């Protein structure tokens, strides 16, 4: 009996709940009535049409950067050293290991082989924290460049000056244009040599070079000399053909007349008796027709 009473009581509670729900849905101003029906599922064709079109997969910028970093760090030690030295040479600034890593992706701190190669490189200066470029000659501007060249009267190779500072080659050409230095090519090594053009500088010339210079027989005609200079890649300072053509046009002889000097007796003239041999033949002075004449 108790069980039957409980079932009836449960049924009454359910009926009360249904009546409450229906009263709520029928109140004025309420939202749309709640639907107790189950939602109808979409068909497969409807779902397929609702999906957005698939986009092609692209690597992000971070992925590409990581690939570049990985290829650099797995590359040969020599190529990594080259990247670092080019950075130091182009910027002429001092960099820490972390700054080098940010600029070149070369991990100097973690790669022992790269670190040891950099610290022992002749072109790199390391003070314990910073790396910087070390040129053969520590120069800053054109004045220091000229001062250095004047210390080498026998010439200094341009290849030793190329890495002094970024604009050193422009300054060399400027000094040449100003007439302060000479830039001559070495025919054996095809390298340019810088010489100071200063008359105060004493230049030492080897005896072999002196003999070679003196042993060269030059042509007698300036036209032939100019042709030989042009054959050796040098520009003559004179133009004999043009000068002679202009002289002939104006009716002037190209060969200058040689003026003969008149031999006159002066106070500085040294007189001898070589033209008077009869004075030394033992003849008396009276027989000399010129005796008594001074």
């Amino acid at each position: 009996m108790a069980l039957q009473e409980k079932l009836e009581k449960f049924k009454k509670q359910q009926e009360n709940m249904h009546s409450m729900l229906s009263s709520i849905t029928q109140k004025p101003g309420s939202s749309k009535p709640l639907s107790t029906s189950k939602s109808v599922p979409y068909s497969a064709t409807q779902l397929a049409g609702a999906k957005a079109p698939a986009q092609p997969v692209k690597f992000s910028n971070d992925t590409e950067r990581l690939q570049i970093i990985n290829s650099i760090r797995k590359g040969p030690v020599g190529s990594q050293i080259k990247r670092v030295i080019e950075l130091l040479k182009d910027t002429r600034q001092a960099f820490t290991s972390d700054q080098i890593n940010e600029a070149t992706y070369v991990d100097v701190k973690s790669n022992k082989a790269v670190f040891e190669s950099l610290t022992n490189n002749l072109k790199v200066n390391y003070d314990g924290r910073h790396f910087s470029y070390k040129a053969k000659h520590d120069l800053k501007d054109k004045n220091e460049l000229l001062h250095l060249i004047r210390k080498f009267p026998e010439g200094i190779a341009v290849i030793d000056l190329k890495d002094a500072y970024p604009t050193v080659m422009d300054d060399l050409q400027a000094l040449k244009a100003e007439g302060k230095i000479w830039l001559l090519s070495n025919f054996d090594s095809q390298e340019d040599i810088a010489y100071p053009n200063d008359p105060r500088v004493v230049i030492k010339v080897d005896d072999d070079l002196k003999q070679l210079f003196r042993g060269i027989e030059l042509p007698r005609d300036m036209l032939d000399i100019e042709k030989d200079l042009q054959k050796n890649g040098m520009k003559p300072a004179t133009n004999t053909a043009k000068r002679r053509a202009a002289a002939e046009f104006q009716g002037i002889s190209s060969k200058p007349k040689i003026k003969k000097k008149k031999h006159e007796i002066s106070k500085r003239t040294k007189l001898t008796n070589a033209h008077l041999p009869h004075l030394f033949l033992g003849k008396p002075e009276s027989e000399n027709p010129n005796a008594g004449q001074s």
Side-chain angles (χ1 to χ4, degrees):
M1 294 292 294
L3 180 60
Q4 188 67 26
E5 290 178 357
K6 289 181 178 180
L7 289 173
E8 291 177 357
K9 187 176 180 181
F10 179 73
K11 289 179 179 180
K12 289 181 179 179
Q13 289 178 351
Q14 283 184 335
E15 291 175 358
N16 292 333
M17 291 293 294
H18 283 293
S19 61
M20 289 176 61
L21 288 172
S22 60
S23 63
I24 290 172
T25 56
Q26 293 176 358
K27 285 183 179 179
S30 64
S31 60
K32 294 181 180 179
L34 296 175
S35 174
T36 56
S37 61
K38 295 181 179 180
S39 60
V40 180
Y42 289 102
S43 63
T45 55
Q46 291 175 331
L47 290 174
K51 287 184 179 179
Q55 297 292 332
V57 179
K58 291 183 179 180
F59 289 109
S60 63
N61 293 333
D62 290 338
T63 305
E64 293 178 357
R65 186 174 65 88
L66 290 175
Q67 287 180 340
I68 294 173
I69 294 173
N70 186 49
S71 64
I72 291 174
R73 293 182 179 177
K74 286 187 176 180
V77 175
S79 62
Q80 298 185 52
I81 296 296
K82 183 180 178 182
R83 289 177 64 89
V84 176
I85 292 179
E86 286 178 352
L87 171 70
L88 300 178
K89 182 180 178 181
D90 294 340
T91 59
R92 301 302 171 107
Q93 296 179 2
F95 289 84
T96 62
S97 299
D98 294 334
Q99 291 172 338
I100 291 175
N101 189 8
E102 293 178 0
T104 63
Y105 303 137
V106 177
D107 193 357
V108 179
K109 189 181 295 183
S110 301
N111 194 327
K112 184 179 179 181
V114 173
F115 178 81
E116 290 180 353
S117 297
L118 275 178
T119 54
N120 295 324
N121 196 290
L122 298 176
K123 293 295 184 182
V124 178
N125 183 33
Y126 181 62
D127 61 2
R129 186 167 182 268
H130 293 89
F131 295 88
S132 58
Y133 187 79
K134 181 169 63 176
K136 186 170 184 178
H137 298 284
D138 186 17
L139 306 174
K140 299 295 187 297
D141 52 29
K142 187 170 69 172
N143 292 330
E144 293 184 4
L145 176 63
L146 178 61
H147 183 70
L148 175 68
I149 294 175
R150 285 177 174 172
K151 290 182 179 179
F152 293 87
E154 298 179 4
I156 182 173
V158 174
I159 193 172
D160 294 336
L161 303 172
K162 281 185 176 180
D163 63 345
Y165 55 92
T167 60
V168 65
M169 298 305 295
D170 295 335
D171 289 344
L172 280 173
Q173 295 298 329
L175 291 173
K176 178 183 176 181
E178 294 170 6
K180 295 180 180 179
I181 65 170
W182 296 100
L183 288 179
L184 304 178
S185 297
N186 188 330
F187 290 102
D188 296 332
S189 59
Q190 299 298 323
E191 294 179 355
D192 290 338
I193 309 295
Y195 296 90
N197 185 17
D198 189 350
R200 298 171 296 178
V201 176
V202 179
I203 300 177
K204 182 181 178 182
V205 181
D206 296 337
D207 293 335
D208 296 340
L209 184 59
K210 292 179 182 178
Q211 293 178 3
L212 180 63
F213 177 79
R214 292 166 182 169
I216 297 175
E217 185 177 356
L218 297 177
R220 295 184 178 275
D221 195 340
M222 280 298 298
L223 285 174
D224 297 331
I225 294 177
E226 292 171 358
K227 289 179 181 178
D228 289 342
L229 290 173
Q230 292 174 351
K231 287 180 181 179
N232 290 276
M234 291 178 281
K235 184 179 179 181
T238 59
N239 191 337
T240 304
K242 183 177 180 181
R243 180 173 56 82
R244 288 180 181 177
E248 290 177 1
F249 179 76
Q250 296 176 3
I252 303 173
S253 176
S254 60
K255 295 183 179 179
K257 294 182 180 180
I258 300 174
K259 295 181 180 180
K260 294 183 179 180
K261 288 186 177 181
K262 295 181 180 180
H263 297 283
E264 297 178 354
I265 298 176
S266 63
K267 292 181 180 180
R268 294 184 181 181
T269 304
K270 184 178 180 181
L271 300 177
T272 63
N273 294 324
H275 63 293
L276 300 172
H278 59 276
L279 294 178
F280 302 95
L281 297 177
K283 295 182 179 181
E285 185 178 353
S286 60
E287 296 180 6
N288 186 1
N290 296 325
Q293 297 179 7
S294 58

